[in-house]
Amino acid sequence: MKNGKFSIGRFMRKNVILLLLVAMIIVFSIVQPKFFTVTNLMNIYNQNASLMLSACGLAMVMISGGIDLSIGYMASLCGIVAAMLMKNMHVNFIVSIIAAILVGTLCGALNGVLSNKLKIHTMIVTLATMTLFQGLSYIISQSKSFSSLPSAFRFIGQGYLGKLPVSIFALIAIVAVVSFILNKTHYGRYVYAIGGNPDAA
């Protein structure tokens, strides 16, 4: 909006990613008519739900001017911890999930402490911790996969409520929380400020 008039250029600059997504959907739908169907869209979502959830947390890191290359192996380590607790130690699945979240929190705190205290760029720090988390994952799991986990745990990632996967409700809740934090809290404003100019912030 400029002088009370709608600006197409400004709208396009502000929503360029969304517009590119819409353009890609249109192109793929023309090339393959079955692309834009409920079944295919749900399949795409199920295959990428974990990436979407991880992107919510990573967005806050990137908005603040940082980067986290270790997030993939950090998630792997958390998953292995939860699986081992349930499979090998027969720990309740809720306790196992809480333990995995704590492991992820400690890993994230390690990245934060190293990058802030040692004044090393987050790309270098997380590149190093990525290798560390990968090694820990292999050592703890002994390079073995885990199966036959409790049905209640599998329901979170594979279950459905009606015709919608359970994970989509988790994604909506997390996106809502992250959006609220970034746009409606002082902490969120500081995240944006640090990303814009750390010295001024």
Side-chain angles (χ1 to χ4, degrees), residues 56-57 59-61 63 173-193:
C56 293
M60 299 183 70
V61 176
I63 289 171
I174 290 176
V175 168
V177 170
V178 171
S179 178
F180 176 81
I181 291 173
L182 288 174
N183 297 297
K184 301 297 182 180
T185 67
H186 290 295
Y187 175 78
R189 297 299 181 188
Y190 288 142
V191 170
Y192 279 107

Side-chain angles (χ1 to χ4, degrees), residues 1-197:
M1 188 71 70
K2 187 175 181 180
N3 296 326
K5 296 182 179 180
F6 177 74
S7 173
I8 296 178
R10 183 178 180 185
F11 173 81
M12 293 183 68
R13 287 194 300 272
K14 188 175 181 180
N15 299 281
V16 62
I17 295 178
L18 179 61
L19 293 173
L20 285 173
L21 175 61
V22 172
M24 289 173 62
I25 292 174
I26 293 173
V27 171
F28 292 153
S29 299
I30 295 173
V31 174
Q32 176 51 261
K34 291 184 179 180
F35 175 81
F36 199 68
T37 61
V38 174
T39 301
N40 188 56
L41 293 178
M42 283 293 101
N43 184 44
I44 293 173
Y45 169 78
N46 286 329
Q47 292 177 352
N48 295 280
S50 60
L51 295 178
M52 296 178 190
L53 290 168
S54 299
C56 293
L58 188 58
M60 299 183 70
V61 176
M62 297 187 71
I63 289 171
S64 67
I67 186 67
D68 188 351
L69 301 177
S70 68
I71 189 169
Y73 286 112
M74 188 190 300
S76 172
L77 179 60
C78 294
I80 287 171
V81 168
M84 285 196 66
L85 288 174
M86 287 182 284
K87 184 71 176 179
N88 296 350
M89 302 179 185
H90 307 291
V91 178
N92 180 273
F93 82 98
I94 295 179
V95 176
S96 301
I97 292 173
I98 293 173
I101 292 174
L102 290 175
V103 169
T105 303
L106 290 174
C107 291
L110 175 63
N111 286 336
V113 169
L114 290 176
S115 60
N116 285 287
K117 295 298 182 181
L118 300 182
K119 304 301 180 182
I120 302 174
H121 194 278
T122 51
M123 178 177 289
I124 304 301
V125 170
T126 56
L127 184 63
T129 55
M130 176 181 71
T131 306
L132 172 63
F133 300 151
Q134 180 185 19
L136 287 174
S137 298
Y138 286 134
I139 292 172
I140 294 173
S141 66
Q142 297 180 349
S143 300
K144 297 179 181 178
S145 60
F146 297 89
S147 59
S148 302
L149 297 174
S151 58
F153 177 76
R154 286 186 282 110
F155 178 76
I156 298 173
Q158 301 174 359
Y160 280 77
L161 289 175
K163 294 185 178 181
L164 294 176
V166 173
S167 56
I168 199 169
F169 296 101
L171 178 63
I172 291 172
I174 290 176
V175 168
V177 170
V178 171
S179 178
F180 176 81
I181 291 173
L182 288 174
N183 297 297
K184 301 297 182 180
T185 67
H186 290 295
Y187 175 78
R189 297 299 181 188
Y190 288 142
V191 170
Y192 279 107
I194 291 171
N197 189 327

